[in-house]
Amino acid sequence: MRFNRILLSATLVVVALVIQVTVLGRLQLPGAVPDLLLLTVVSLALVYGHVSGALIGFGAGLLADLAPPADHAAGRYALVLCVIGYVAGLVRPDGGRFRSAWGPMLTVVAAAIGSTLLYAGVGALVGDTAARHVGLTGLVFTATLYDLLLAPFTVPWIMALARRAENDPMAVEAGGGPANKAADVSAGWLAGGTGLRIGSQRGGLRLKTARSRANKAVRIKGIKPAKGVKSVKKL
């Protein structure tokens, strides 16, 4: 992962976890709790792809497992968010941009349902039957409802921040594809930082280099050019 991805993802995950624990976790809503951490992982995965989504999900889930007042085994939510981040990243279109809001919203619904079922399934494997006593159907319904209501206020903004962090200000989008990204960065640096244009002035740069070498050779030999005659004839 690139440094700007790591920095932005870590910042958003920490902020989401703090809001989740201090605000959303204390609302005393019926059923489940709005999962801002899940929405953050899904939003970043929709922009960065499945590999980054899985890594971000694992890190976010591990922080949630260790943050108080966690009452479950460490690694349980990390596994859930790792899977959700990976699957959500597979939905990412080329360029990370959706043509409508239906794609992210449907992904949020699927992530809310999948994370609740997966969390309950992992809990059943380790002997945690709390979801069975509360009612799995009610948990799935409320989790999906709360996340869907919270998504329009969080997912578009997080995705916009992620896209903005991906766009290197020194890069020039010549081809628009990831394969040309490295070349675009160097081209943008030369064009923006030095004021030189590449391609059309390449011959001019060669001519200037040849002139400077010829002038240097003339000075070394001690030959003074005649008056009114230029040191190097223009081609």
Side-chain angles (χ1 to χ4, degrees):
M1 293 176 63
R2 291 166 49 179
F3 177 74
N4 55 351
R5 286 189 182 186
I6 297 174
L7 182 61
L8 178 64
S9 301
T11 303
L12 292 176
V13 164
V14 171
V15 172
L17 181 61
V18 171
I19 297 175
Q20 182 79 32
V21 173
T22 59
V23 179
L24 299 178
R26 300 183 179 182
L27 292 179
Q28 301 297 328
L29 296 173
V33 177
D35 199 339
L36 182 59
L37 200 60
L38 173 69
L39 297 179
T40 302
V41 171
V42 170
S43 303
L44 294 174
L46 290 176
V47 178
Y48 294 151
H50 59 283
V51 176
S52 297
L55 294 175
I56 295 170
F58 179 80
L62 190 60
L63 286 178
D65 288 332
L66 300 177
D71 57 351
H72 54 268
R76 180 177 171 184
Y77 201 47
L79 174 62
V80 172
L81 287 187
C82 180
V83 174
I84 295 298
Y86 182 85
V87 176
L90 295 176
V91 186
R92 173 185 178 270
D94 294 336
R97 295 182 180 273
F98 289 87
R99 295 183 178 180
S100 67
W102 287 106
M105 291 300 104
L106 290 176
T107 306
V108 167
V109 171
I113 297 174
S115 62
T116 305
L117 294 177
L118 186 59
Y119 187 82
V122 175
L125 292 177
V126 297
D128 184 2
T129 59
R132 188 181 304 171
H133 296 295
V134 175
L136 186 58
T137 304
L139 283 177
V140 171
F141 176 76
T142 53
T144 305
L145 178 62
Y146 296 153
D147 291 346
L148 194 57
L149 292 175
L150 186 60
F153 305 99
T154 55
V155 174
W157 301 103
I158 295 175
M159 293 180 68
L161 284 175
R163 291 195 195 101
R164 187 172 182 179
E166 279 292 275
N167 295 330
D168 191 341
M170 305 304 294
V172 177
E173 295 184 0
N180 298 327
K181 193 169 289 185
D184 293 341
V185 171
S186 60
W189 179 79
L190 287 173
T194 64
L196 299 177
R197 287 181 297 174
I198 301 176
S200 61
Q201 291 189 353
R202 191 170 296 170
L205 292 175
R206 290 176 183 161
L207 181 58
K208 289 181 181 178
T209 304
R211 286 179 184 172
S212 104
R213 288 179 180 174
N215 290 334
K216 187 175 180 181
V218 167
R219 286 195 299 269
I220 291 175
K221 292 180 180 179
I223 302 174
K224 294 183 178 180
K227 210 173 198 180
V229 179
K230 293 186 178 179
S231 57
V232 178
K233 187 178 180 180
K234 290 185 179 180
L235 299 177

